[in-house]
C-alpha cells in the first residue's frame, strides 16, 4: 500500500540523514536543515511564513527555531512592520554550517533512493513531486510557495 511504503521511505530518509550528520559530527535534523535552507533564500521572514515554505506546522516550527537559535545558527528580531511578529535570519555561523552540510545532503540523496538508477531516480522524483503537488491541500501543513516581491 502506498501509505506504508511512503512511511518506510520516510524512515529510511530520516535514518540516512541522521547517520550522515553523525558521521560528519554535525548536530542537525532534516527539519532544521530545511529551515536553514529556506532562511538562506528568504531572510527576514516570520515563523509562520517559514513554516509554510517547508510545510511544517507552526507549533513544531517554534521548537525547531528555539533549537536553531540556541545553537547560534539563526537570530530572531522584532519585525519592523508588526511588533508582535519576529523575523528570522541566518547568522554567519548558520550560513557556514549550511555551506558545509549542503554537499553532504546532496550526496545522501542517492542512498535514500538506493536500488534505482539515475533515470529511475529522476522519474521517481518527478512522480513524487506530482503526487505531493496534487495532494498539498490535503496536508495539515500545506507547502506554501514564496510570495513574489512587488
Amino acid at each position: 500500500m502506498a501509505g506504508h511504503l511512503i512511511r518506510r521511505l520516510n524512515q529510511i530518509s530520516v535514518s540516512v540523514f541522521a547517520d550522515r550528520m553523525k558521521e560528519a559530527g554535525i548536530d542537525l535534523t532534516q527539519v532544521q536543515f530545511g529551515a536553514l535552507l529556506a532562511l538562506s533564500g528568504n531572510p527576514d521572514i516570520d515563523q509562520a511564513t517559514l513554516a509554510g515554505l517547508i510545510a511544517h506546522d507552526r507549533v513544531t516550527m517554534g521548537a525547531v527555531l528555539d533549537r536553531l537559535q540556541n545553537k547560534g545558527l539563526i537570530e530572531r528580531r522584532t519585525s519592523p512592520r508588526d511588533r508582535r511578529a519576529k523575523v528570522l535570519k541566518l547568522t554567519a555561523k548558520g550560513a557556514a554550517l549550511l555551506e558545509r552540510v549542503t554537499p553532504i545532503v546532496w550526496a545522501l540523496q542517492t542512498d535514500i533512493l538506493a536500488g534505482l538508477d539515475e533515470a529511475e531516480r529522476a522519474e521517481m522524483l518527478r512522480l513524487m513531486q506530482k503526487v505531493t503537488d496534487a495532494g498539498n491541500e490535503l496536508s495539515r501543513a500545506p507547502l506554501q510557495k514564496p510570495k513574489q516581491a512587488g
Side-chain angles (χ1 to χ4, degrees):
M1 296 185 88
H4 172 71
L5 292 174
I6 292 165
R7 182 184 65 79
R8 287 290 298 132
L9 189 54
N10 182 60
Q11 288 175 321
I12 292 165
S13 175
V14 168
S15 180
V16 169
F17 188 96
D19 289 348
R20 295 307 179 281
M21 291 303 112
K22 185 176 181 181
E23 289 167 9
I26 299 169
D27 178 23
L28 196 70
T29 67
Q30 286 178 313
V31 177
Q32 291 170 350
F33 172 76
L36 293 176
L37 189 61
L39 284 174
S40 73
N42 302 281
D44 299 320
I45 59 174
D46 62 42
Q47 178 175 322
T49 301
L50 177 60
L53 289 176
I54 64 171
H56 265 71
D57 65 275
R58 292 178 190 186
V59 174
T60 301
M61 196 80 268
V64 169
L65 294 172
D66 287 344
R67 287 185 199 94
L68 291 174
Q69 186 175 18
N70 289 339
K71 293 176 184 181
L73 302 175
I74 66 164
E75 62 181 43
R76 290 171 164 157
R77 295 183 335 276
T78 301
S79 170
R81 293 182 295 273
D82 179 354
R83 301 206 39 79
R84 296 167 296 170
K86 298 284 187 194
V87 292
L88 309 165
K89 186 176 179 179
L90 285 182
T91 62
K93 182 179 178 182
L97 179 65
L98 187 59
E99 187 174 327
R100 177 177 171 213
V101 78
T102 298
I104 298 168
V105 174
W106 276 110
L108 67 82
Q109 299 307 302
T110 303
D111 296 334
I112 291 171
L113 298 178
L116 301 179
D117 64 32
E118 191 173 332
E120 290 169 327
R121 283 192 303 271
E123 180 65 2
M124 175 128 179
L125 291 171
R126 186 188 72 76
L127 291 171
M128 287 191 305
Q129 187 68 61
K130 184 176 182 178
V131 170
T132 56
D133 287 349
N136 189 50
E137 295 308 316
L138 301 174
S139 172
R140 291 188 179 153
L143 181 70
Q144 297 171 5
K145 305 289 183 189
K147 294 180 176 91
Q148 299 300 322

